[in-house]
């Protein structure tokens, strides 16, 4: 099954398929890839989930640092720009833009602090049930805005591939063997 996935990768790629590319293991079954076959300039590096049986099942592209102000102006702009690009590819999405109830970071100039504290969420999600037109290899796409500090953030995209559930079960089972 050689179904194309984002960034020039393919659903189910095994570790040996990455021999030409430099992978660095950062956690069990998670690998950092700096230069995929088709990189995108908005992203600094990529995290891949690769299990022995199911192979590549999940991709997370981590964006370049974006300097911004407390209002999150540059982060919002980068998010909306990437969301527009993803809409051209995958169609309709569900967007969530919220501040958690009870957060003290409720003034416009506190937008980034809300992200830093994990009390604000700006994300878009594509699934077939949202009307998205996904490829044969992709189960869902998730775009999110994140903050490193109140003056610096980034965007990230997570792609769950069609074999992600099976791979997650495989990984959980292998980890549970240690119990």
């Amino acid at each position: 099954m050689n179904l194309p996935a984002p960034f020039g990768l393919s659903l189910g790629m095994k570790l040996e398929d990455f021999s030409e590319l430099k992978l660095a293991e950062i956690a069990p079954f998670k690998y950092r890839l700096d230069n995929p076959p088709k990189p995108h300039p908005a992203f600094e590096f990529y995290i891949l989930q690769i299990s022995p049986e199911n192979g590549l099942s999940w991709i997370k592209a981590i964006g370049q640092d974006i300097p911004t102000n407390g209002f999150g102006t540059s982060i919002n702009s980068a998010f909306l720009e990437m969301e527009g690009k993803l809409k051209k590819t995958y169609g309709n999405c569900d967007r969530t833009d919220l501040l958690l109830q009870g957060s003290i970071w409720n003034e416009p100039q506190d937008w980034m602090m809300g992200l830093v504290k994990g009390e604000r969420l700006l994300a878009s999600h594509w699934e077939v049930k949202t009307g998205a037109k996904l490829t044969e290899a992709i189960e869902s796409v998730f775009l999110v805005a994140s903050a490193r500090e109140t003056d610096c953030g980034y965007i990230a995209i997570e792609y769950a591939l069609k074999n992600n559930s099976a791979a997650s079960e495989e990984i959980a089972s292998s980890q549970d063997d240690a119990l």
Side-chain angles (χ1 to χ4, degrees):
M1 177 166 48
N2 193 16
L3 297 174
F7 311 113
L9 303 171
S10 296
L11 171 79
M13 289 176 76
K14 306 290 189 197
L15 276 177
E16 56 268 17
D17 298 327
F18 290 91
S19 61
E20 305 271 325
L21 303 169
K22 291 185 180 178
L23 288 181
E25 188 170 8
I26 58 172
F29 309 103
K30 295 269 200 281
Y31 301 86
R32 178 180 169 144
L33 175 64
D34 290 330
N35 293 303
K38 290 184 180 177
H40 189 282
F43 301 104
E44 185 175 343
F45 63 93
Y46 307 80
I47 305 296
L48 311 178
Q49 178 175 276
I50 305 169
S51 67
E53 290 179 32
N54 289 281
L56 178 65
S57 61
W58 181 84
I59 303 165
K60 184 172 187 174
I62 308 293
Q64 303 282 346
D65 282 350
I66 302 167
T68 194
N69 55 26
F71 298 89
T73 306
S74 298
I75 298 297
N76 271 291
S77 294
F79 179 90
L80 292 173
E81 182 181 340
M82 186 58 67
E83 183 188 66
K85 291 176 184 188
L86 291 168
K87 280 182 173 181
K88 284 181 185 174
T89 303
Y90 303 115
N92 295 331
C93 66
D94 280 343
R95 182 188 306 155
T96 303
D97 186 357
L98 66 84
L99 180 65
L100 296 178
Q101 189 173 6
S103 175
I104 64 169
W105 309 110
N106 56 7
E107 296 296 324
Q109 67 272 15
D110 296 331
W111 197 88
M112 284 297 292
M113 184 57 84
L115 271 186
V116 168
K117 296 292 186 181
E119 296 176 9
R120 174 172 299 283
L121 176 64
L122 176 59
S124 290
H125 190 239
W126 286 259
E127 285 185 311
V128 171
K129 68 183 178 186
T130 66
K133 299 175 223 99
L134 301 176
T135 67
E136 286 185 73
I138 298 173
E139 185 79 23
S140 66
V141 180
F142 186 74
L143 171 67
V144 66
S146 296
R148 297 194 194 286
E149 302 289 337
T150 57
D151 63 352
C152 183
Y154 64 96
I155 59 171
I157 304 175
E158 293 182 19
Y159 295 89
L161 303 181
K162 294 278 179 154
N163 61 346
N164 192 49
S165 293
S168 295
E169 287 176 24
E170 174 191 353
I171 290 166
S173 177
S174 73
Q175 291 171 336
D176 289 348
D177 283 349
L179 301 176

